[in-house]
Amino acid sequence: MSGQSGSVALTLHLALLSILSFGGIPSVLPDIRNYVVAANGWLTDRQFANVFAIAQTLPGPNMILMMSLIGWKVGGLPTAISSALAIFGPPCTIYYFAYRPWDRFRHAPWQRVARRGLAPVTIGLILGGGTVMARAADTNWQSATVTMIAAAVILWVRVNPLWILIAAGAAGALELV
Amino acid sequence: MVRAAEESRVQRASLLVLFLGFLKVALCSVGGGSGIVFARRLAVEQRRWIGDPEFADILSLCQFLPGPNVVGIAVCVGARLRGPAGALASLAGFTVIPVAISLFLGTWILRYPDLAILQGILGGVSAAAAGLLIGTGLRLLIPHRDQPMALCFALLAFVGLVFTKLPLLAILLAVAPVSVTVAAISGTRKR
């Protein structure tokens, strides 16, 4: 336990990092690790890795969940809540106020050009994000097959993706993956 | 006509529908990125609140801004349909209940990190979640398939993310300005 000052410090630190996390929270994960593991010793390296893996595999906004799990470790439920709010509160304010002018000028010629230029980059990053996730998740040929089947099904079949996740989870429970 | 259609679409998006819609999106999405899959399914395919181009547009905006990007989709779609109240309803739906449930489950799992069946389920689900994200990316790429320059920039961003250790912001700042410039030049040529 690191007391109340630790909880406040963690919350403020996360709030600051949240508005610096251009391109998504994973871009500031190394900094968060330094802060909670190396600088303050609130979590061990193993615990940090576990928290990350759990956040990757449980439903919900995973980075918010990861921060609230870290908060839980540092100061129980109140810190879990304040850490979650710190990581999404400031960015959501920015999203909202940036979206309004972006939407108002959606028919302006400059924005049409910007959109046409940005869309392929965005798509490339989604494909890259999926590939990075796959590299971490696919530890053998069975799990690589699961990844490929999931990609093919979502691409060609109109099915609720949830069924794909449930089937894959069941295969994992039966130790087929 | 178009206006009337748009109004009826907005009417259908009550705050409760937004809250429940994004609650479902969050409960279905595993591994962060796959939230994009379910958010697109909700907003584009099922409710038809927005089209694919608008969805890609919101995604680009959120990727450039700091913060958890998928949450940004909820905020922007909510804001587009119902203004500030819509943004709050979508955000609350996306975060409150799912984080509470997963926090409860997560603290429980942290107590038993070596349980084999749990590891098996988590492994299978995360492999499939990665595939869902790749499939959705390919689907968004389909409208661009006859534009070689667009495919080229998608490939550059992909390679930057997968094969270099560069932070996401550095990749964006390197690729996006060139891509936008090319889009501007090719646009004037067409006219």
Side-chain angles (χ1 to χ4, degrees):
Chain A
M1 271 301 129
S2 33
Q4 235 176 349
S5 62
S7 304
V8 173
L10 174 69
T11 304
L12 291 178
H13 192 78
L14 290 178
L16 175 68
L17 285 181
S18 76
I19 52 175
L20 297 175
S21 64
F22 287 94
I25 301 297
S27 62
V28 293
L29 272 186
D31 192 290
I32 293 174
R33 199 205 71 88
N34 277 342
Y35 190 73
V36 300
V37 178
N40 286 294
W42 288 322
L43 274 75
T44 64
D45 244 329
R46 167 99 202 267
Q47 283 174 325
F48 191 84
N50 276 344
V51 164
F52 179 74
I54 289 170
Q56 288 295 316
T57 39
L58 285 179
N62 64 331
M63 284 298 128
I64 300 176
L65 175 62
M66 180 173 175
M67 298 316 140
S68 70
L69 281 169
I70 291 174
W72 177 278
K73 281 272 175 192
V74 172
L77 187 60
T79 316
I81 296 171
S82 69
S83 303
L85 288 175
I87 207 71
F88 77 78
C92 283
T93 316
I94 299 175
Y95 288 134
Y96 182 74
F97 286 102
Y99 179 66
R100 296 184 63 171
W102 176 258
D103 188 48
R104 192 170 317 138
F105 295 109
R106 59 173 294 116
H107 297 294
W110 63 264
Q111 212 191 83
R112 239 175 265 175
V113 167
R115 256 206 304 273
R116 217 147 35 88
L118 290 182
V121 181
T122 306
I123 296 167
L125 291 177
I126 292 176
L127 287 168
T131 309
V132 170
M133 272 171 70
R135 267 212 304 221
D138 295 348
T139 46
N140 50 28
W141 67 266
Q142 291 96 325
S143 46
T145 312
V146 168
T147 301
M148 278 187 282
I149 293 174
V153 169
I154 194 76
L155 184 58
W156 284 304
V157 188
R158 270 189 173 242
V159 58
N160 189 336
L162 190 57
W163 293 116
I164 305 172
L165 294 178
I166 291 173
L174 299 171
E175 296 182 23
L176 298 172
V177 177
Chain B
M1 271 315 272
V2 178
R3 219 195 139 78
E6 197 152 293
E7 263 164 26
S8 78
R9 206 183 295 168
V10 171
Q11 271 168 5
R12 261 189 289 146
S14 75
L15 295 180
L16 184 66
V17 169
L18 280 171
F19 179 89
L20 292 177
F22 279 100
L23 169 65
K24 218 169 102 185
V25 169
L27 287 180
C28 291
S29 57
V30 176
S34 72
I36 294 171
V37 180
F38 292 94
R40 184 187 162 279
R41 187 176 155 85
L42 170 78
V44 180
E45 286 185 4
Q46 292 180 325
R47 297 276 173 183
R48 295 171 200 274
W49 287 327
I50 53 176
D52 254 331
E54 263 179 293
F55 185 77
D57 179 26
I58 287 176
L59 258 180
S60 326
L61 179 70
C62 293
Q63 272 183 335
F64 262 90
L65 297 174
N69 295 330
V70 188
V71 184
I73 300 176
V75 171
C76 293
V77 172
R80 162 142 184 84
L81 297 171
R82 293 295 303 266
L88 274 178
S90 307
L91 175 64
F94 197 77
T95 53
V96 179
I97 296 173
V99 173
I101 293 175
S102 287
L103 181 64
F104 175 75
L105 287 175
T107 52
W108 182 73
I109 296 174
L110 273 176
R111 260 180 260 159
Y112 310 98
D114 300 317
L115 210 60
I117 187 163
L118 228 49
Q119 297 290 345
I121 294 175
L122 298 185
V125 169
S126 49
L132 292 185
L133 197 56
I134 294 172
T136 299
L138 291 174
R139 214 154 154 171
L140 289 171
L141 199 60
I142 291 173
H144 301 272
R145 61 172 174 251
D146 49 357
Q147 300 160 27
M149 282 321 275
L151 293 179
C152 202
F153 286 113
L155 184 68
L156 263 180
F158 173 83
V159 169
L161 193 63
V162 176
F163 297 104
T164 70
K165 294 252 179 242
L166 293 172
L168 187 51
L169 185 64
I171 300 167
L172 279 173
L173 288 180
V175 182
V178 189
S179 177
V180 172
T181 310
V182 170
I185 295 169
S186 68
T188 38
R189 230 187 258 149
K190 260 177 215 161
R191 256 177 265 144

